[in-house]
Amino acid sequence: METTAAATAAERRRPLFTTEELGGRAVYRVQAATVAAGILLVLYYRATRVPAAGEGRAAWLGMAAAELWFAVYWVIAQSVRWRPFRRRTFRDRLAERYEQNLPGVDIFVCTADPQSEPPSLVISTILSVMAYNYPSEKISVYLSDDGGSILTFYALWEASIFAKKWLPFCKRYNIEPRSPAAYFSESKVHHNLCIPKEWALIKNLYEEMRERIDTATMSGKIPEEMKLKHKGFDEWNSDFTLKNHQPIVQILIDGKNRNAIDDDRNVLPTLVYVAREKRPQYHHNFKAGALNALIRVSSVISDSPVILNVDCDMYSNNSDSIRDALCFFLDEEMGQKIGFVQYPQIFNNMTQNDIYGNSFNVSYHVEMCGLDSVGGCLYIGTGCFHRREILCGRIFSKDYKENWNRGIKERGKENINEIEEKATSLVTCTYEHRTQWGNDIGVKYGFPAEDIITGLAIHCRGWESAFINPKRAAFLGLAPSTLAQNILQHKRWSEGNLTIFLSKYCSFLFGHGKIKLQLQMGYCICGLWAANSLPTLYYVTLYGLYEALLSGDTLKGWWNGQRMWMVKSITSYLYGFIDTIRKCVGMSKMSFEVTAKVSGHDEAKRYEQEILEFGSSSPEYVIIATVALLNFVCLVGGLSQIMAGVWNMPWNVFLPQAILCGMIVFINMPIYEAMFLRKDNGRIPTAVTLASIGFVMLAFLTTTAAVGEGEYGRQGGVQIPFQAATVAAGKLLVLYYRATHMPAGGEGRAAWVGMEAAEVMYTVGRPVVCPVRRRTFKDRLAERLVTFVRYNCLSSNWILVHA
């Protein structure tokens, strides 16, 4: 008896997860020391070699300031690179100890727009998280629809029917991934694992369901006969609008009802649809408000102690993700202090050399692991498991004991209608008034990056977090597939992080004395993305090639990432910086833009629509393409003119300019490829290519007309034509922007027209001119005018000029 007890105690002492330090750190520390020495030498050089006033002193000091900023940011970045950790779990030990007493898990999925986030995409994510390798009766899935769309509700109802066949199929053959859209797109890999007849049946059922959903989405309405199949459709009446409607809570599958079973007579997970009340006079706090509403609704339906939230495009790619996360929470030695477990956000619609730099390999292999080593990784808003109690504001205490059995007990005498009515009262517009929701309770309000600040608040309450990056990705999603979407997403991220940095929640202020200094510095890495735009505009630097290659990126993929980092630094992050400052001084209000998530044939349809609407909605594409093309034409044209002897410029003057122009051309090679060579969805629309070519031609025609050729050679050679062409292109692009972004009447239109008129006057009234240098030939004058007395040099010059 004592032997058995001792063996049990020994088994419980075996950890459910282990922590391993990443290798190669000694080499990195040596490299970091050399970089630090180089930085100090550069700063010393700048400080001791300041030019005298008027000799480029301002430019020198600007470079010194930029280098000092990058030096400070580099030091901040070292806080997460010095000693990164890697976590590894033991699911077999978890099963041995807790298989019969596993806690319940509530899964939150948020969507906001059936056009940007198609319902067929959303339900694939829903079905994937319903099919976890976990007791179904302990899973509850909640869909928050901030779009309040009957189309999304209809899609979820279709998914509840299809789940009765899909879940048994997944568990019978242990398939991966368990998103039907992803699984059947990889059919060549998985077909041989299943009975062909059954596989074909499930595939046909899924495709028929998806066709019905897509047809309804395209038409904007669902068949009338479908509305009779569930009482929830009655919620959408003639007075229902996107921004003005009553709250809706509908339980489509009640997992605690013994009749809610699949085709194998196994219990189905609970499935709930939630649409918060929306009224024009009330602010709804975007995604943070949706998550807080789900916390309250789930507390009266399932009340599970663990909550997972995922974006609607991040389907489950690993059916054991719940068990991996529970290895952290349920570990007897170290699990008590872990408040949340974060998985990486990985995308499956990228090529190996992603042209838009959407790979976060370095962040997940180095930075997040480094944050994990100093107290906790960031909460990134998706793919994260939380304790319910920490989202409700609980402060860490060594004496606190989690009740892992909460929510599992059988429901009382309340029927499903009473529960829906009770839950509906928790998602009204006025419920949170004069409460701590959005402040001390739930996800934080008032910031675009609600996830980052919520994670910071959890860490400051004494909890730690864990980051796990398993070999098989836990979640896969969709990266922005166009440049405009990419810039929009990073603009929103950088703006939100900078807003936090400039607020009272700055990690150095809010976290002082509560979290380690290294973790405070780690939060500032993303907090200063937007601020980096200013020195980046002044001084360009490259970094991270070694880490990128070590993390799995290719050389070309790293190069594309650096190129996109430059683009985002002077667009997304700069816009985020400006918007944040405007909000800080009260010039604008916070807004939230949903990043479009479309896959498969939906992406092609959306792409065609973007092309049709392109000319009036995306001048940024035209500007980028024009600048890229202008540099190419300048380089080729300049070289040909020099070779032909038309432009009289020494090579030692022309060469530095040509090298700079050539570097810009090389960086923009993917843009030229997208303009002239690519045939897929990554191709820049023909309308944009033609518009950019037109602007370049106009720029050079304007320059040629104003400059002329001249016999005696230009002062400055190709420098002035290059500059003149870029100025002309810039003026044309400004006028194009003014013409295509005319405000509506009463929204500053008069001021806009006045500015446009002034800019037209400046363009017409100040032509580009090119100075010339005159040189005389007095010997020729003497030969031709023998009767003239040779005057002095000044007289000869006067005669030559006036002859």
Side-chain angles (χ1 to χ4, degrees):
M1 195 74 171
E2 293 180 358
T3 304
T4 304
T8 303
E11 171 62 27
R12 286 189 171 275
R13 283 195 296 270
R14 297 174 67 194
L16 296 180
F17 70 92
T18 184
T19 301
E20 304 168 348
E21 185 173 347
L22 292 181
R25 289 298 98 186
V27 176
Y28 175 78
R29 289 164 189 164
V30 172
Q31 185 264 351
T34 60
V35 171
I39 290 174
L40 292 175
L41 290 173
V42 168
L43 296 179
Y44 174 77
Y45 174 78
R46 291 292 181 196
T48 57
R49 298 291 193 278
V50 180
E55 298 180 4
R57 188 173 189 176
W60 183 277
L61 294 177
M63 293 182 70
E67 288 160 350
L68 179 61
W69 173 267
F70 285 127
V72 172
Y73 190 79
W74 181 84
V75 172
I76 291 175
Q78 299 316 298
S79 63
V80 301
R81 297 170 185 267
W82 205 248
R83 191 168 172 258
F85 282 165
R86 178 172 53 234
R87 308 280 192 175
R88 188 160 56 92
T89 60
F90 302 100
R91 293 192 300 270
D92 54 337
R93 301 176 187 177
L94 177 75
E96 290 174 4
R97 299 179 205 175
Y98 298 104
E99 188 62 37
Q100 302 305 318
N101 297 295
L102 291 171
V105 178
D106 289 343
I107 302 175
F108 297 167
V109 181
C110 296
T111 185
D113 181 5
Q115 300 304 318
S116 297
E117 299 163 340
S120 58
L121 172 73
V122 175
I123 64 161
S124 285
T125 299
I126 293 289
L127 289 166
S128 72
V129 297
M130 291 177 70
Y132 272 119
N133 180 21
Y134 201 76
S136 295
E137 66 274 12
K138 297 182 179 181
I139 295 178
S140 300
V141 181
Y142 296 81
L143 175 64
S144 170
D145 179 19
D146 263 7
S149 172
I150 192 173
L151 302 173
T152 304
F153 179 77
Y154 167 64
L156 193 65
W157 176 80
E158 286 275 13
S160 69
I161 304 300
F162 180 68
K164 296 179 180 180
K165 297 186 179 297
W166 176 247
L167 270 60
F169 177 76
C170 292
K171 296 180 180 181
R172 187 179 306 122
Y173 298 105
N174 194 29
I175 67 169
E176 297 281 8
R178 297 190 176 180
S179 158
Y183 174 76
F184 289 118
S185 68
E186 303 173 3
S187 58
K188 293 182 180 179
V189 179
H190 301 291
H191 191 179
N192 295 333
L193 302 178
C194 311
I195 299 175
K197 186 176 180 180
E198 184 177 6
W199 182 90
L201 172 64
I202 299 297
K203 185 175 187 291
N204 289 337
L205 289 174
Y206 168 70
E207 291 179 345
E208 289 171 3
M209 177 189 69
R210 176 168 180 167
E211 182 63 28
R212 291 194 297 271
I213 293 172
D214 289 344
T215 299
T217 302
M218 293 178 64
S219 64
K221 59 183 179 180
I222 63 174
E224 291 299 323
E225 62 271 15
M226 291 293 182
K227 296 181 180 180
L228 304 176
K229 296 186 178 183
H230 194 280
K231 62 183 179 62
F233 290 108
D234 296 336
E235 297 284 350
W236 282 267
N237 51 43
S238 58
D239 297 327
F240 194 104
T241 63
L242 172 62
K243 297 182 179 180
N244 190 8
H245 62 80
Q246 76 281 6
I248 303 172
V249 177
Q250 291 291 318
I251 301 177
L252 287 92
I253 301 177
D254 182 8
K256 294 185 178 180
N257 186 333
R258 295 180 181 178
N259 295 322
I261 57 177
D262 60 28
D263 284 0
D264 284 355
R265 306 197 64 78
N266 295 315
V267 177
L268 285 167
T270 297
L271 182 61
V272 184
Y273 173 89
V274 179
R276 295 182 289 159
E277 181 183 21
K278 295 287 185 66
R279 302 299 177 192
Q281 64 270 31
Y282 293 104
H283 197 287
H284 61 275
N285 294 303
F286 311 119
K287 182 180 176 180
L291 289 173
N292 287 340
L294 291 180
I295 293 173
R296 296 193 297 271
V297 169
S298 63
S299 68
V300 300
I301 297 177
S302 53
D303 197 30
S304 298
V306 177
I307 293 174
L308 162 67
N309 79 280
V310 295
D311 288 344
C312 65
D313 66 319
M314 296 292 294
Y315 67 83
S316 171
N317 186 61
N318 187 335
S319 61
D320 288 320
S321 298
I322 294 180
R323 294 176 180 269
D324 282 330
L326 291 180
C327 286
F328 294 95
F329 292 129
L330 298 179
D331 184 84
E332 289 80 0
E333 295 294 328
M334 296 176 286
Q336 183 181 2
K337 60 184 178 182
I338 293 179
F340 64 87
V341 178
Q342 179 68 63
Y343 283 93
Q345 185 177 12
I346 301 175
F347 305 116
N348 68 336
N349 63 331
M350 300 187 307
T351 60
Q352 188 179 19
N353 304 312
D354 178 50
I355 191 171
Y356 294 130
N358 286 310
S359 172
F360 293 106
N361 286 343
V362 173
S363 295
Y364 295 142
H365 284 84
V366 180
E367 294 178 357
M368 290 291 276
C369 294
L371 284 166
D372 201 2
S373 68
V374 295
C377 62
L378 306 181
Y379 167 41
I380 59 175
T382 183
C384 188
F385 289 83
H386 287 89
R387 293 176 186 258
R388 177 180 290 271
E389 286 297 313
I390 68 165
L391 289 177
C392 294
R394 180 172 290 278
I395 299 174
F396 173 74
S397 171
K398 293 182 179 179
D399 300 328
Y400 172 69
K401 299 295 182 182
E402 184 71 65
N403 178 17
W404 296 113
N405 293 321
R406 65 186 293 176
I408 295 178
K409 61 182 182 298
E410 291 292 330
R411 184 178 295 133
K413 296 182 179 180
E414 291 181 309
N415 61 40
I416 191 171
N417 292 327
E418 292 173 340
I419 295 173
E420 287 178 346
E421 183 177 351
K422 183 177 180 180
T424 301
S425 67
L426 302 178
V427 291
T428 60
C429 289
T430 58
Y431 181 84
E432 295 181 350
H433 285 191
R434 299 179 183 177
T435 70
Q436 290 301 310
W437 281 98
N439 188 15
D440 293 333
I441 302 176
V443 181
K444 291 279 188 180
Y445 290 161
F447 298 88
E450 74 288 330
D451 45 6
I452 299 295
I453 193 170
T454 300
L456 175 61
I458 291 171
H459 286 140
C460 290
R461 291 200 294 266
W463 296 94
E464 294 184 4
S465 57
F467 178 74
I468 178 172
N469 189 3
K471 290 183 178 180
R472 181 175 181 86
F475 302 95
L476 290 178
L478 296 175
S481 57
T482 67
L483 180 62
Q485 293 173 8
N486 188 286
I487 290 177
L488 170 65
Q489 185 179 73
H490 282 269
K491 179 256 185 184
R492 189 175 70 235
W493 288 349
S494 61
E495 178 183 344
N497 287 315
L498 183 62
T499 302
I500 295 172
F501 182 81
L502 297 178
S503 73
K504 66 178 182 179
Y505 292 106
C506 173
S507 57
F508 288 124
L509 302 176
F510 189 65
H512 179 68
K514 301 174 184 176
I515 57 178
K516 296 179 181 179
L517 177 62
Q518 297 100 309
L519 187 54
Q520 297 175 30
M521 296 168 68
Y523 269 100
C524 290
I525 292 175
C526 53
L528 295 174
W529 279 349
N532 274 338
S533 62
L534 300 181
T536 302
L537 286 170
Y538 200 90
Y539 197 102
V540 180
T541 185
L542 298 176
Y543 64 94
L545 175 58
Y546 168 76
E547 290 176 343
L549 296 177
L550 195 64
S551 300
D553 277 354
T554 63
L555 179 62
K556 187 175 180 181
W558 170 81
W559 177 257
N560 286 335
Q562 295 302 309
R563 179 180 52 78
M564 283 305 302
W565 173 73
M566 277 297 302
V567 171
K568 290 179 286 195
S569 293
I570 60 175
T571 54
S572 307
Y573 302 157
L574 180 61
Y575 302 155
F577 180 85
I578 295 172
D579 283 358
T580 302
I581 298 301
R582 291 179 63 208
K583 282 197 284 290
C584 288
V585 299
M587 293 178 62
S588 67
K589 297 180 180 179
M590 184 175 66
S591 62
F592 184 86
E593 301 94 347
V594 177
T595 304
K597 307 173 185 72
V598 185
S599 64
H601 66 279
D602 300 317
E603 181 176 355
K605 295 177 182 176
R606 289 291 302 277
Y607 181 75
E608 293 172 2
Q609 185 63 25
E610 283 184 14
I611 293 176
L612 294 176
E613 299 174 355
F614 193 86
S616 61
S617 61
S618 298
E620 294 85 0
Y621 278 86
V622 180
I623 294 172
I624 292 172
T626 300
V627 172
L629 197 59
L630 186 65
N631 278 281
F632 178 78
V633 173
C634 284
L635 178 65
V636 175
L639 286 172
S640 61
Q641 296 276 24
I642 286 288
M643 293 296 185
V646 177
W647 281 349
N648 182 20
M649 168 174 267
W651 277 100
N652 63 336
V653 178
F654 172 79
L655 194 58
Q657 301 178 40
I659 291 175
L660 177 60
C661 196
M663 285 295 295
I664 298 174
V665 169
F666 184 70
I667 290 174
N668 285 297
M669 287 301 291
I671 295 179
Y672 305 137
E673 180 184 356
M675 291 174 70
F676 301 110
L677 300 178
R678 294 185 65 161
K679 303 297 182 183
D680 54 6
N681 287 354
R683 178 181 176 85
I684 290 180
T686 304
V688 178
T689 302
L690 294 177
S692 62
I693 293 173
F695 278 124
V696 171
M697 291 178 66
L698 285 173
F700 273 88
L701 287 174
T702 305
T703 305
T704 303
V707 171
E709 279 298 328
E711 180 181 316
Y712 304 104
R714 296 187 180 90
Q715 183 178 351
V718 297
Q719 182 178 3
I720 291 176
F722 276 22
Q723 186 263 354
T726 56
V727 169
K731 290 182 177 181
L732 291 170
L733 290 172
V734 168
L735 296 179
Y736 171 75
Y737 177 82
R738 290 291 181 196
T740 57
H741 286 70
M742 184 76 67
E747 296 181 1
R749 187 169 188 174
W752 184 278
V753 173
M755 293 181 69
E756 184 174 10
E759 287 159 350
V760 170
M761 288 296 297
Y762 283 128
T763 302
V764 176
R766 301 189 64 178
V768 182
V769 296
C770 180
V772 297
R773 181 175 60 250
R774 304 290 187 178
R775 191 155 54 92
T776 61
F777 301 96
K778 297 186 292 294
D779 53 336
R780 300 177 186 176
L781 176 67
E783 293 173 358
R784 301 175 188 176
L785 304 176
V786 293
T787 58
F788 277 62
V789 178
R790 185 179 298 274
Y791 292 98
N792 57 34
C793 182
L794 178 61
S795 301
S796 300
N797 288 339
W798 187 90
I799 293 173
L800 177 62
V801 170
H802 290 81

